Amino acid sequence: MSSGPSHLAVVPAYNEAATVSSVVRAIRRYAPAFDVLVVDDGSTDDTERIAQDTGARVLRHPFNLGIGGAVQSGFFYALDHGYDYMVQVDGDGQHDPQEIGRLLAVMDADYSVDMVCGSRFLSDDRRYPAPISRRTGIHIFAFLVSRLVGQRVSDPTSGFRPYNRRAIALFARDYPHDYPEVEAVLMLHLHRLRMREVPVRMFQRGGGSSSISSGKSLYYMVKVLLAVFVGLARRRPVPGPGDEAPVAATHSI
């Protein structure tokens, strides 16, 4: 039995046969302490077979649930198997596994940090080549979320994030299913957990197609804004002084 913390890399993938193998191999090369779980979200191509051939564990959905459902399956798996840390690395090749150590180092330095977000926008030498419409939407979300949580959030749509056991327990129980990243930041804040951002390098997707095409950018923005305000209105257990926390660092048997 290992005496150190356990780590899980969750790779949500939908029709990512062109890239999933290179993503899994890069995680194993640059973050060898991490077990790798590919969540095949109802792919109709060879994503499942290729992931298995690369040596990853594969959890397959019988049909497509969307990115939120795929990532929440990863949270369920991490919680059920007692992992101390989980990191999301998308299967399309946009996230750089070489940066996992940079993200995790923030948690190692400060155990009160529950989630770390890899940001594309924190330094000029790490510019992300995104269309202007998408960058504009991200900056609008960043402004809104920063005001709501009371700290600067430069890249609330980034899915490149490690989580500790408190955050894993929270999101295994309740995680937004449709374009979830922005609302997840607000959920973390409402449950009085903490996050930090770290500058990272990201790439354009290596294959497949994005769920947010240029024609859907406005639809995406409106839908996320509605989800944010609906999420804020939902009744969630928020602890007061002396109350039991709604999530814990350990989970029950």
Side-chain angles (χ1 to χ4, degrees):
M1 178 180 296
S2 174
S3 59
S6 53
H7 305 78
L8 177 69
V10 171
V11 182
Y14 176 61
N15 290 340
E16 302 292 1
T19 55
V20 68
S21 175
S22 61
V23 170
V24 172
R25 288 192 172 96
I27 294 171
R28 292 190 156 190
R29 177 179 179 183
Y30 296 112
F34 280 77
D35 296 332
V36 183
L37 174 72
V38 173
V39 181
D40 178 7
D41 192 28
S43 296
T44 57
D45 63 4
D46 287 334
T47 294
E48 179 184 22
R49 179 188 61 79
I50 292 172
Q52 289 175 336
D53 289 348
T54 312
R57 304 173 189 179
V58 178
L59 178 63
R60 176 169 172 79
H61 292 167
F63 47 84
N64 181 250
L65 296 180
I67 183 62
V71 176
Q72 189 174 26
S73 289
F75 285 121
F76 276 128
Y77 186 96
L79 184 66
D80 189 52
H81 290 79
Y83 283 95
D84 298 299
Y85 298 98
M86 173 188 135
V87 64
Q88 176 184 340
V89 183
D90 287 350
D92 58 12
Q94 291 191 81
H95 299 162
D96 184 357
Q98 293 188 68
E99 304 274 18
I100 292 175
R102 172 195 294 270
L103 299 175
L104 203 63
V106 175
M107 287 183 166
D108 290 340
D110 185 352
Y111 290 105
S112 70
V113 175
D114 302 289
M115 179 177 80
V116 179
C117 293
S119 172
R120 294 162 277 197
F121 305 111
L122 280 182
S123 62
D124 291 338
D125 62 337
R126 293 173 181 268
R127 290 294 184 187
Y128 177 67
I132 185 64
S133 59
R134 185 171 300 182
R135 292 201 307 270
T136 300
I138 293 172
H139 293 320
I140 291 172
F141 296 143
F143 174 80
L144 177 63
V145 170
S146 298
R147 289 299 185 95
L148 290 172
V149 305
Q151 73 176 81
R152 184 193 178 196
V153 180
S154 67
D155 195 358
T157 66
S158 169
F160 193 16
R161 301 173 175 179
Y163 310 82
N164 67 9
R165 295 186 73 178
R166 289 187 295 269
I168 290 170
L170 169 64
F171 291 133
R173 184 182 65 193
D174 185 7
Y175 192 70
H177 275 208
D178 200 7
Y179 312 125
E181 294 85 4
V182 177
E183 190 180 349
V185 174
L186 297 177
M187 287 179 59
L188 200 81
H189 173 71
L190 290 173
H191 286 86
R192 300 188 180 179
L193 300 184
R194 295 186 59 214
M195 66 160 281
R196 290 268 306 277
E197 283 192 310
V198 173
V200 296
R201 172 178 54 243
M202 288 193 194
F203 309 114
Q204 291 182 314
R205 64 167 38 248
S209 60
S210 173
S211 61
I212 309 171
S213 63
S214 58
K216 291 184 177 180
S217 294
L218 180 60
Y219 168 80
Y220 166 75
M221 289 176 59
V222 172
K223 193 165 188 177
V224 172
L225 288 172
L226 287 174
V228 166
F229 289 112
V230 170
L232 288 172
R234 291 174 60 188
R235 295 180 61 86
R236 289 192 174 98
V238 178
D243 292 345
E244 182 179 356
V247 294
T250 59
H251 60 280
S252 58
I253 297 175

